[in-house]
Amino acid sequence: AGTGWFQVQRLFADRLHRQHWCCTDCFTVRWTRVCVDWECLHLDIRFSGVCLRVPRFRTTSFFCAAIELYLCILPKPPIVDIAIAISWTVTVSIGAEIIGKNIFDNLTTTVCDKIYETLIEHKVIFFRDHPLSSEQHIALAEKFGPLETHAYVQGLDDHPEIVRIVKGEEEKNQWGENWHSDVSYNTKPTKAVILKSIKIPPVGGDTCFSNMELAWETLDEKIKDKIKDKKAVHTSLGAEFFIDDYKYMQGNKKRNYDEYENEHPIVRTHPETGKKILFVNWTYTKKIIGLEKKESDEILEKIFEHQARLDLTCRFRWTENAVAIWDNRSVQHYAISDFFPGRGLGYERIMDRIAIEGDRPN
Ligand code: SIN
């Protein structure tokens, strides 16, 4: 039973469109109690002690429209409370979109806790139409832990915590364009990332996310046995990978540009949920320690193919002023570079990224 405004509307939309009938839903919106018996096809609306029963309502689209309209005109509770209470999933496997206005205007502990809970549960969360200033972006990120500096890429002059990801109109490549978990080559890979869209092409430039807890659960048992206690080498690939191939990305002048590597358990445990996570990725993981190169390559190839299975993923179509927050420990992502030559997709794409420091995987 939901009590929220958007949840009610969403419930109706979901049930009506997905034809998911075998249950009863009850919820209260302000003074009105609504009970929907989807199986027996009736809907009760109780208001001030009066019960209005609408029989066989779902067969009549007029009733559905009328109910949605009725729910729409009811007075709305304070927007922040309801916005944070309400989220819905993007796919069964991963992702939730949180609906509401001005969510980041008042970052109380309650609001931040709810955002964080939703993040941990759904692994990546999305917000649309939130024109965050850089200061608000930083303030939000700081609620989740100390901020991280990128080893190779320089932040904005006035806000060094923010890395501006720019794909120029004429560029064919896009930063982050294969499956990866951010900076998995560091001793302490990123905990979470908050990405905000500034300029989005009219077509293309979506980002995909894949659930690595589910990837572990669904992995072939023989592969699981082979890798469960092993570590793998993650390699940073050097500055070229992050800057030189991207005209508008600026190098972090204070930093060492050499390539470096770290070893991490292939199966890490989420520090908060205790769930197992498949922690290798196509971009940075180069070798399973303790196996011959050939066997390591073969197993990694199978794992990478498995991690990219569409049923583990969701895909986010960006709009300007959208925000995505992902748990970088349990999620991989892929910024789709569908700006192919000759397809007329010569658009600019600009994103601001803030990363939150993680801990050592174990
Ligand atoms: C990244 O890989 O961190 C960037 C993702 C994106 O730009 O969509």
Side-chain angles (χ1 to χ4, degrees):
T3 52
W5 181 254
F6 294 99
Q7 195 164 345
V8 171
Q9 291 182 37
R10 178 67 185 177
L11 184 87
F12 265 81
D14 257 12
R15 297 268 194 252
L16 294 171
H17 296 141
R18 289 184 199 184
Q19 310 232 326
H20 187 258
W21 308 123
C22 316
C23 61
T24 306
D25 286 306
C26 292
F27 42 82
T28 305
V29 183
R30 278 291 171 99
W31 323 278
T32 309
R33 179 91 182 141
V34 181
C35 275
V36 194
D37 188 332
W38 298 96
E39 212 164 9
C40 301
L41 299 181
H42 65 243
L43 177 143
D44 291 343
I45 301 176
R46 278 173 230 271
F47 178 75
S48 296
V50 180
C51 178
L52 169 69
R53 171 157 292 193
V54 184
R56 301 194 60 76
F57 71 94
R58 82 162 195 244
T59 53
T60 324
S61 54
F62 169 77
F63 272 123
C64 301
I67 289 155
E68 287 201 51
L69 182 68
Y70 170 74
L71 292 170
C72 278
I73 56 176
L74 281 177
K76 295 180 176 113
I79 207 85
V80 168
D81 284 357
I82 197 144
I84 290 301
I86 305 314
S87 62
W88 58 79
T89 52
V90 176
T91 69
V92 173
S93 313
I94 183 169
E97 189 158 338
I98 296 185
I99 307 299
K101 290 192 178 131
N102 313 324
I103 293 175
F104 304 121
D105 283 2
N106 185 13
L107 289 174
T108 60
T109 310
T110 317
V111 169
C112 293
D113 287 353
K114 282 192 175 164
I115 292 177
Y116 195 65
E117 273 164 32
T118 317
L119 173 67
I120 296 299
E121 188 185 338
H122 295 278
K123 301 181 175 52
V124 55
I125 52 179
F126 307 105
F127 305 80
R128 291 194 193 271
D129 304 317
H130 288 280
L132 283 186
S133 65
S134 296
E135 289 75 17
Q136 279 178 307
H137 193 180
I138 293 167
L140 174 66
E142 280 173 337
K143 297 282 180 193
F144 303 119
L147 307 187
E148 185 184 79
T149 311
H150 200 284
Y152 298 117
V153 187
Q154 192 180 338
L156 297 178
D157 287 343
D158 46 351
H159 296 292
E161 309 86 341
I162 301 181
V163 164
R164 182 150 290 175
I165 304 171
V166 180
K167 191 207 79 75
E169 246 177 70
E170 73 287 12
E171 287 187 292
K172 305 286 183 282
N173 298 322
Q174 169 146 292
W175 211 71
E177 65 185 87
N178 281 300
W179 284 114
H180 64 286
S181 110
D182 279 347
V183 301
S184 71
Y185 47 82
N186 278 349
T187 327
K188 295 178 175 179
T190 308
K191 172 182 178 179
V193 175
I194 306 187
L195 191 66
K196 178 186 88 168
S197 55
I198 295 178
K199 189 160 184 200
I200 294 298
V203 283
D206 298 358
T207 307
C208 290
F209 298 87
S210 186
N211 178 342
M212 290 303 108
E213 275 174 22
L214 208 50
W216 170 248
E217 272 175 41
T218 53
L219 188 65
D220 178 272
E221 289 300 327
K222 286 198 197 101
I223 301 184
K224 276 186 171 177
D225 274 351
K226 197 97 199 173
I227 61 167
K228 63 177 186 253
D229 299 316
K230 294 208 159 28
K231 288 188 166 187
V233 179
H234 295 242
T235 308
S236 72
L237 306 171
E240 188 186 338
F241 184 76
F242 293 98
I243 308 156
D244 298 355
D245 288 348
Y246 307 96
K247 192 167 161 192
Y248 299 95
M249 303 298 290
Q250 283 178 25
N252 192 341
K253 305 208 169 37
K254 285 179 252 148
R255 290 289 173 139
N256 178 359
Y257 276 177
D258 291 346
E259 187 171 335
Y260 60 93
E261 41 182 64
N262 271 293
E263 294 171 8
H264 296 305
I266 296 181
V267 189
R268 72 180 286 187
T269 305
H270 196 287
E272 285 148 59
T273 63
K275 295 258 180 73
K276 301 271 180 225
I277 297 163
L278 189 53
F279 195 66
V280 288
N281 66 81
W282 186 93
T283 303
Y284 303 125
T285 312
K286 297 301 161 198
K287 181 158 186 341
I288 299 175
I289 296 165
L291 296 185
E292 289 300 318
K293 180 165 180 349
K294 184 169 176 296
E295 190 178 17
S296 162
D297 285 351
E298 280 168 7
I299 292 179
L300 283 177
E301 200 181 312
K302 283 189 186 140
I303 295 177
F304 298 152
E305 200 177 311
H306 174 72
Q307 288 171 319
R309 259 172 49 172
L310 292 181
D311 56 341
L312 307 181
T313 69
C314 73
R315 174 171 175 154
F316 188 60
R317 169 75 198 127
W318 289 95
T319 40
E320 277 164 24
N321 294 317
V323 176
I325 309 180
W326 65 87
D327 182 344
N328 191 58
R329 301 162 295 190
S330 57
V331 159
Q332 289 189 22
H333 59 285
Y334 187 132
I336 301 177
S337 174
D338 46 2
F339 304 88
F340 301 119
R343 290 191 57 201
L345 299 179
Y347 298 111
E348 191 179 38
R349 180 180 185 269
I350 306 178
M351 315 291 274
D352 271 359
R353 170 190 182 276
I354 302 186
I356 296 139
E357 270 180 24
D359 48 15
R360 191 186 280 268
N362 55 44

